[in-house]
Structures are given as structure tokens and as C-alpha cells.
């Protein structure tokens, strides 16, 4: 095969051009991977997620919640609160092959075994609140286990037993809804009582929704998410039961859906597609700034828990998170590499 000199030169220039482009991309990737804050292992790429209409990731969420827990929460509230990292639920529900375990192991036992070490230094049954961030289908949820040590209702003022039943006078028939599990995830199926309690708590009659495709029909995305939350509740209840058996061997506690109830609460909602993580961390803060005073189902008074403006106006929550990062960087400046330059974010231009 014969190449003319002209053709060879053109070919050589093409190779050099490709190499330059690849080098530029490689440099850009390396820049984004630079760590700007050792605490939380925050990189430039994570920092860029504070730009408007960007999803904040697990690293930013864990960093902010840790800062809130250690610096803003009172010592008394820290003693009665436990916050899991964003990776806890993902690890708990990682898919598994049942044949790899002894035949007598239940799914709950297998799931619990994956995260058993996460609580080796803490007894969550001595806590009032256990916060668990959950991400499914690119959407952040906040699961909160309240008073896991209780058995039955009590008066919050003095701890005396309360015999009042939940307000389910307006009950109605509810459908059996089938759905597909999230890929690479193992979760428990909600049972009949889970479905009844969630429908009672939300006051939404799903009976007319039968026959719809809950995964692909855009008009019922909200309904599908409620089914997700029911499944999350059943999964966490199973984990809670196994955790109790390990931490309190020989003791008996009722972990049925009637005893350990769950509900998808009506709370202020994000006005866009990307701010779910910001709203989730705001929910955690509001739990102590404006605490729930009555846990009787249905919990009706949280629809106006806070103004959406507290999170979204002028990118307020993004700026709060940015401030925490910059403040920690300033405190650690003596150990910061000199060559690191923070990118300018679009929220920097908002007053």
C-alpha cells in the first residue's frame, strides 16, 4: 500500500489533533477530581453540583448532614438522634442470591447481615429518631424511624399509655397494586396492612387507579412513588426487627405493621425536577426547628410545614450548603493545596 507524502502529513496532523483533545479532556477530568476539602472528600466536581438545576449528590448530602449534626444540633438532640449515611439503604437493599446463604435464612436476615457492622457501636433502640436518606430512581426520600423503643401509643408529655385508635373512620377499599422491583435492589413487599395504613394516612383513594402501568404512565408517577415508599417501610421494618433480635437477645417486641406503622406524609414539595436532595436535608432540619407534636395517623398538619421559598428562592439552600463548604475550607486553609481554584457558580451571581 502506497501513501503520498501529502496524505501522510495530513494523517499525522490528525493524530496530533486527537492527542491534544484527549489531553485537554484528561486535564479537565483531573481538575474535576481534585479534592478541595478532605473532610467529606469533596471534589471540584461535587462543588459544581451546587450550580442551579443540578442534582446534589450523596457526598454533598452526607457532608451537610454531618455538619448539621455535629455543629448545629444541640447536645441533647444529638443524644437522642442517629443519622445514617446515604449509603446505608443502598447497602441494605443490594441484590443477593439466596442460594449463597443457608436455606433457613430469611430475606430480612440476609439484608440485615449486610449492614450489621453499621450499628456495632450504637443501639438505635435508645434513640428517639433515626434518619435514613434513600435514593430510588434518581429521587431522594427521607425515612425517619420515630421512637423505635416504644410499644404502643404514649402521651408525649408524660409517657403515659394512650388507648386512642388511629383516625381511620373514612376508610375505603384499596386496590392491590403490582410493581417491579428496582434493578439491583432487594426490598421487602408491603403487606395488606401497609397498604391500608398508607392509604389512610394520605387520604388518597387508589381504587380508580387499578390497571395503570405504575412505572411508565407519566400521570401516575406520584402514585408509583407512594408504592416505593411502602416498600421502603416494609424493608426497614424487617431490618429493625432483626436489629432488635441482635441487640436485645431473648427479649420480645412486636414488629407487625399494626405495631410499627408507616405513612407517606404530605409535606411541601419541590417545584422542579432537581431539588429533591435539598428538600430532603431541609426536612431533617425542620424536624427539630418545627417538631411534630402529634404522631397520631393521619398526620395532617405538615402540608404547610415550611415555605418552599426557604429552599428555592435565590437558591437559598444551595447557598447554605456552599457557605458550609467554604467555611470549612477557610478553617482548613493551612492544609489546602495552593494550585486549587474554585470554579465560579451561577448561584454566585444571585444576591
Amino acid at each position: 500500500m502506497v501513501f503520498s507524502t501529502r496524505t501522510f502529513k495530513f494523517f499525522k496532523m490528525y493524530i496530533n489533533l486527537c492527542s491534544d483533545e484527549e489531553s485537554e479532556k484528561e486535564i479537565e477530568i483531573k481538575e474535576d477530581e481534585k479534592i478541595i476539602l478532605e473532610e467529606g472528600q469533596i471534589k471540584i466536581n461535587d462543588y459544581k453540583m451546587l450550580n442551579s438545576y443540578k442534582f446534589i449528590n450523596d457526598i454533598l448530602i452526607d457532608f451537610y448532614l454531618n455538619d448539621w449534626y455535629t455543629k448545629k444540633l444541640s447536645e441533647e438532640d444529638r443524644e437522642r438522634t442517629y443519622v445514617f449515611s446515604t449509603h446505608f439503604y443502598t447497602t441494605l437493599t443490594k441484590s443477593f442470591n439466596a442460594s449463597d446463604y443457608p436455606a433457613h435464612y430469611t430475606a430480612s436476615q440476609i439484608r440485615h447481615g449486610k449492614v450489621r457492622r453499621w450499628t456495632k457501636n450504637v443501639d438505635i433502640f435508645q434513640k428517639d429518631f433515626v434518619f435514613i436518606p434513600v435514593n430510588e430512581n434518581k429521587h431522594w426520600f427521607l425515612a425517619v424511624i420515630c421512637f423505635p423503643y416504644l410499644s404502643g401509643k404514649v402521651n408525649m408529655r408524660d409517657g403515659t399509655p394512650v388507648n386512642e385508635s388511629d383516625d381511620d373512620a373514612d376508610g375505603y377499599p384499596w386496590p392491590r397494586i403490582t410493581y417491579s422491583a428496582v434493578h439491583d435492589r432487594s426490598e421487602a413487599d408491603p403487606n395488606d396492612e401497609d397498604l391500608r395504613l398508607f392509604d389512610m394516612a394520605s387520604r388518597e383513594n387508589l381504587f380508580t387507579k387499578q390497571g395503570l402501568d405504575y412505572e411508565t404512565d407519566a400521570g401516575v408517577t406520584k402514585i408509583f412513588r407512594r408504592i416505593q415508599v411502602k416498600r421502603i417501610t416494609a424493608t426497614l421494618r424487617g431490618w429493625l426487627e432483626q436489629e432488635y433480635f441482635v441487640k436485645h437477645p431473648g427479649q420480645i417486641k412486636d414488629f407487625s405493621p399494626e405495631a410499627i406503622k408507616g405513612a407517606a406524609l404530605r409535606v411541601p414539595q419541590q417545584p422542579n425536577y432537581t431539588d429533591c436532595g435539598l428538600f430532603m436535608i431541609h426536612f431533617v432540619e425542620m424536624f427539630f426547628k418545627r417538631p411534630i407534636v402529634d404522631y397520631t395517623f393521619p398526620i395532617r398538619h405538615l402540608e404547610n410545614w415550611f415555605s418552599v421559598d426557604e429552599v428555592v428562592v435565590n437558591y437559598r439552600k444551595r447557598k447554605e450548603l456552599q457557605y458550609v463548604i467554604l467555611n470549612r475550607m477557610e478553617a482548613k486553609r493551612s492544609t489546602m493545596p495552593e494550585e486549587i481554584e474554585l470554579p465560579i457558580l451561577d448561584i454566585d451571581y444571585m444576591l
Side-chain angles (χ1 to χ4, degrees):
M1 185 176 292
V2 178
F3 290 94
S4 70
T5 306
R6 186 176 181 180
T7 304
F8 177 75
K9 286 182 178 178
F10 175 79
F11 183 70
K12 185 176 181 181
M13 289 173 61
Y14 177 74
I15 294 296
N16 288 338
L17 181 61
C18 288
S19 299
D20 290 342
E21 288 179 349
E22 290 175 356
S23 297
E24 289 177 4
K25 288 182 180 179
E26 187 175 341
I27 291 173
E28 184 178 352
I29 291 173
K30 287 183 178 179
E31 285 292 323
D32 282 351
E33 290 299 313
K34 283 185 178 179
I35 294 177
I36 61 174
L37 186 60
E38 290 290 344
E39 181 184 346
Q41 292 292 293
I42 297 178
K43 301 175 182 178
I44 288 181
N45 191 48
D46 303 316
Y47 185 76
K48 287 181 178 180
M49 291 182 178
L50 293 174
N51 277 310
S52 60
Y53 304 109
K54 293 283 188 179
F55 287 100
I56 63 170
N57 63 5
D58 52 347
I59 292 175
L60 294 177
I61 289 173
D62 283 337
F63 173 78
Y64 187 87
L65 289 179
N66 181 67
D67 183 85
W68 164 82
Y69 180 83
T70 57
K71 298 180 176 64
K72 297 181 181 179
L73 204 58
S74 69
E75 183 177 354
E76 179 183 359
D77 283 336
R78 284 199 302 271
E79 285 295 320
R80 66 193 189 109
T81 303
Y82 194 78
V83 183
F84 279 106
S85 85
T86 54
H87 299 286
F88 172 78
Y89 192 78
T90 304
T91 304
L92 175 69
T93 57
K94 187 176 181 180
S95 62
F96 59 86
N97 188 340
S99 63
D100 294 335
Y101 297 86
H104 65 278
Y105 272 37
T106 66
S108 291
Q109 287 176 314
I110 295 173
R111 281 191 287 264
H112 179 266
K114 299 175 186 177
V115 294
R116 182 168 178 170
R117 293 184 178 181
W118 288 62
T119 55
K120 65 179 181 180
N121 297 321
V122 62
D123 184 355
I124 61 170
F125 294 95
Q126 295 180 357
K127 305 295 182 181
D128 287 348
F129 306 112
V130 179
F131 293 92
I132 304 172
V134 178
N135 187 287
E136 285 199 346
N137 294 329
K138 298 182 180 180
H139 182 73
W140 286 104
F141 297 84
L142 177 66
V144 187
I145 300 174
C146 303
F147 313 110
Y149 50 83
L150 289 180
S151 296
K153 291 185 179 181
V154 299
N155 188 304
M156 291 188 66
R157 294 186 180 87
D158 55 20
T160 57
V162 175
N163 295 321
E164 295 178 5
S165 60
D166 289 318
D167 179 12
D168 59 353
D170 298 331
Y172 46 76
W174 42 265
R176 294 184 178 276
I177 301 172
T178 58
Y179 51 86
S180 300
V182 177
H183 294 303
D184 299 324
R185 180 158 287 182
S186 168
E187 295 173 295
D189 291 331
N191 58 24
D192 291 354
E193 184 64 11
D194 278 320
L195 295 171
R196 185 188 74 82
L197 286 170
F198 271 81
D199 291 344
M200 179 191 75
S202 66
R203 291 290 192 250
E204 288 183 20
N205 191 338
L206 302 184
F207 192 75
T208 59
K209 297 292 184 180
Q210 282 182 294
L212 292 176
D213 184 341
Y214 286 88
E215 287 190 288
T216 60
D217 190 320
V220 293
T221 300
K222 182 178 179 181
I223 302 300
F224 177 62
R225 281 184 177 167
R226 287 185 57 234
I227 302 302
Q228 284 181 298
V229 175
K230 295 171 188 178
R231 192 174 66 245
I232 291 168
T233 299
T235 301
L236 290 177
R237 185 188 296 113
W239 164 75
L240 199 64
E241 181 176 21
Q242 296 302 321
E243 182 73 6
Y244 189 82
F245 290 160
V246 170
K247 290 293 175 65
H248 301 273
Q251 299 185 36
I252 298 175
K253 183 176 174 62
D254 186 2
F255 285 91
S256 67
E258 293 84 357
I260 309 293
K261 299 180 179 181
L265 304 183
R266 289 177 176 267
V267 292
Q269 297 294 305
Q270 65 197 75
N272 53 44
Y273 183 65
T274 56
D275 283 351
C276 51
L278 297 167
F279 270 72
M280 186 189 71
I281 60 179
H282 200 65
F283 292 150
V284 176
E285 293 176 301
M286 289 301 101
F287 219 84
F288 293 91
K289 288 183 178 179
R290 299 163 198 168
I292 299 172
V293 295
D294 185 358
Y295 288 83
T296 304
F297 287 168
I299 300 175
R300 297 188 177 96
H301 60 281
L302 297 183
E303 292 185 45
N304 299 311
W305 201 9
F306 58 85
S307 169
V308 171
D309 290 351
E310 294 179 25
V311 179
V312 300
V313 167
N314 293 332
Y315 308 110
R316 187 174 299 175
K317 205 67 185 179
R318 291 181 185 272
K319 286 189 172 183
E320 283 184 26
L321 183 46
Q322 181 191 33
Y323 173 79
V324 173
I325 293 173
L326 295 178
N327 192 44
R328 295 304 299 157
M329 288 178 65
E330 182 67 26
K332 302 287 185 180
R333 184 161 296 281
S334 59
T335 60
M336 282 288 297
E338 294 181 359
E339 71 275 9
I340 290 182
E341 292 186 11
L342 286 179
I344 297 176
L345 306 178
D346 58 7
I347 64 173
D348 292 331
Y349 297 102
M350 298 299 298
L351 299 177

